[in-house]
Structure formats: C-alpha cells, structure tokens
C-alpha cells in the first residue's frame, strides 16, 4: 500500500515504515504529525484518486530529526567582464518516518462507462443529411 501525499508544498510517494526528507516542519523531534492532503491511494491495485484530495484519508508520521542538507554551490560568471560570484546554500530539512496510512472514508473510483458507440451512431445519422443537402445544392446550380 502506498499513497501520494502533499507535505510542505511538495508531493511525495510514501509507504509504511519509509523514511523521507521533507522541508523543515515546525514540529518537535519525536512528535507525531498527520498529513490530511492525500492525493492518491493504492491498496494492492485498488487505486483511489482525490479531487484534489481524498476525504477522510491521512498519513501518520513521526518526526525523527531536524538537519541541514548537502551544500549546493551557486556560481555565476560573465566572461571577459571580470565578474564572478560564488554563493553556497544548505537547505533546512526534517526527516520523518511514515508510521501508517489510513484510508477511512475513502471512496473507490467508479469504473468509466464507454460512450464511443453513441458517438458513432450520431455520426451515421448526420451523414445522409449532409449528402442530401449537397445534392439539393447541385440541383439548384444547374
């Protein structure tokens, strides 16, 4: 079972007992956190889509630690101008452990019905009318 959930403005595919690095959360280390914006649930092939989120579904997680990510070097240069600018950046992150995915109240997506045969019938009915209209037009031109 997995879910696609929105955490701090980003979407993550999570499953039970998975560790995920997300943007810094305000919760303390060791505290529990719940994410209600579940966009998709997959329970052994039974896929449930939200519009935009699934009502009643949530992902439970535990905050493991707050840390900083790897340093990213931003280097700007304009050739033949003597311009060089070097900056570094380390993103503040939170590591969470997904403890469970609850799908209470989630409705399964209904299978789609085919509407293609109706469109073919409608096309067949309109075709003779067009031919008849063309024939009348040709008769009046002569």
């Amino acid at each position: 079972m997995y879910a696609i959930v929105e955490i701090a403005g980003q979407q993550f595919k999570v499953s039970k007992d998975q560790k995920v690095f997300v943007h810094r959360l305000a919760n303390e280390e060791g505290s529990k956190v719940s994410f209600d914006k579940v966009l998709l649930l997959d329970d052994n092939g039974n896929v449930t889509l939200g519009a935009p989120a699934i009502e009643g579904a949530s992902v439970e997680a535990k905050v493991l630690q707050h840390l900083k990510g790897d340093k990213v070097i931003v280097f700007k240069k304009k050739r033949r101008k003597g311009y060089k600018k070097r900056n570094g950046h380390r993103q503040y992150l939170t590591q969470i452990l997904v403890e469970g995915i609850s799908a209470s109240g989630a409705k399964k997506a209904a299978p789609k019905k085919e509407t293609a045969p109706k469109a073919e019938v409608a096309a067949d009915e309109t075709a003779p009318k067009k031919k008849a209209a063309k024939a009348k037009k040709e008769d009046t031109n002569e």
Side-chain angles (χ1 to χ4, degrees), residues 20-101:
V20 182
F21 291 102
V22 299
H23 285 301
R24 181 66 60 103
L25 300 176
N27 302 61
E28 307 240 345
E29 289 184 9
S31 66
K32 308 264 185 199
V33 64
S34 176
F35 304 107
D36 296 330
K37 197 154 187 187
V38 179
L39 307 175
L40 181 138
L41 274 174
D42 184 3
D43 189 12
N44 299 325
N46 295 331
V47 178
T48 306
L49 285 173
I54 299 170
E55 297 293 326
S58 66
V59 173
E60 306 298 323
K62 179 181 178 183
V63 176
L64 295 179
Q65 63 176 338
H66 296 295
L67 61 143
K68 290 172 79 172
D70 294 334
K71 181 172 269 200
V72 177
I73 302 297
V74 179
F75 186 74
K76 298 179 182 179
K77 179 183 178 183
K78 294 189 179 181
R79 62 183 192 160
R80 297 188 300 267
K81 307 294 183 211
Y83 172 79
K84 293 181 194 175
K85 188 65 77 171
R86 181 180 180 270
N87 284 321
H89 175 73
R90 292 184 71 182
Q91 186 70 38
Y92 292 105
L93 300 173
T94 299
Q95 185 180 23
I96 61 172
L97 173 68
V98 178
E99 293 183 332
I101 300 170

